[in-house]
């Protein structure tokens, strides 16, 4: 039996995961890479912003979402060059 996914939908757990991730040296870079990957995979932007706000708080979550989406043209250029 697989573990319940409801644990990962709890805002308190999401906030703790975000805090732990940002505490690592490459945490912010990992967050931006996750946003780029989500945009490349055509995830809905509203969903990404909502999760970012839940995980990182209102302003930091929106900032990460904006930076992640603005970095997509760069990522697409790198992918095209490969």
């Amino acid at each position: 039996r697989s573990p319940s996914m409801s644990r990962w939908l709890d805002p308190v757990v999401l906030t703790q995961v975000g805090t732990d991730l940002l505490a690592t040296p490459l945490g912010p870079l990992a967050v931006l890479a996750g946003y780029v990957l989500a945009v490349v995979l055509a995830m809905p932007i509203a969903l990404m912003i909502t999760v970012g706000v839940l995980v990182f708080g209102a302003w930091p979550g929106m900032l990460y979402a904006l930076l992640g989406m603005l970095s997509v043209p760069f990522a697409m250029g790198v992918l095209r060059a490969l």
Side-chain angles (χ1 to χ4, degrees), residues 13-78:
V13 172
L14 286 173
T15 302
Q16 185 60 44
V17 168
T19 303
D20 293 345
L21 179 62
L22 291 178
T24 65
L26 295 176
L29 187 60
V31 171
L32 291 177
Y35 274 109
V36 169
L37 180 63
V39 170
V40 169
L41 295 175
M43 297 282 227
I45 293 172
L47 175 66
M48 294 171 23
I49 293 171
T50 302
V51 170
V53 167
L54 286 174
V55 172
F56 303 112
W59 292 111
M62 286 189 279
L63 179 65
Y64 278 119
L66 177 67
L67 291 174
M69 286 180 266
L70 290 177
S71 63
V72 169
F74 172 74
M76 294 303 276
V78 169

